[in-house]
Amino acid sequence: MTDKFKKAFSNLSVDEKRNQISNELIIIAELIKLKEQDLRLPSVLSVKDYVSNSNISESEMLDFLYEDIYNIQKELITIFSIEK
């Protein structure tokens, strides 16, 4: 990641940052689902889509992100254990 890219993210509003992080997690989830299809594994991965301008607290947002990251981690562990 370049400094220019980091600075651009840093200049976003808090809501825009939340949305961008949510979008990145959705992309990661879709890549995992593609790999699961290749391995003929059923996908149970679900990542929530953050709704901009949501009136949720920072604590609620962190809970929201933690759940998605945890679910992504579980799916990656499954994929890597299958591929060995």
Side-chain angles (χ1 to χ4, degrees):
M1 177 182 293
T2 66
D3 286 337
K4 184 177 179 180
F5 192 75
K6 287 189 276 190
K7 184 173 172 75
F9 180 80
S10 182
N11 289 332
L12 297 174
S13 71
V14 171
D15 193 57
E16 290 169 326
K17 287 178 181 180
R18 289 175 171 185
N19 193 50
Q20 186 61 37
I21 291 169
S22 177
N23 289 342
E24 298 295 342
L25 291 173
I26 290 169
I27 291 168
I28 292 167
E30 290 303 315
L31 292 170
I32 290 169
K33 288 177 183 180
L34 286 173
K35 185 63 178 176
E36 288 173 329
Q37 282 179 344
D38 287 347
L39 296 171
R40 296 191 173 123
L41 295 172
S43 182
V44 295
L45 181 58
S46 174
V47 173
K48 298 173 296 308
D49 189 4
Y50 172 74
V51 177
S52 293
N53 299 317
S54 296
N55 290 327
I56 64 174
S57 70
E58 195 62 24
S59 180
E60 291 169 320
M61 186 63 193
L62 291 172
D63 291 345
F64 179 98
L65 294 172
Y66 181 77
E67 183 180 349
D68 286 343
I69 292 168
Y70 180 82
N71 289 333
I72 287 170
Q73 176 187 358
K74 284 189 342 185
E75 290 299 303
L76 286 172
I77 289 169
T78 300
I79 288 171
F80 286 122
S81 68
I82 298 291
E83 284 197 316
K84 285 189 176 183

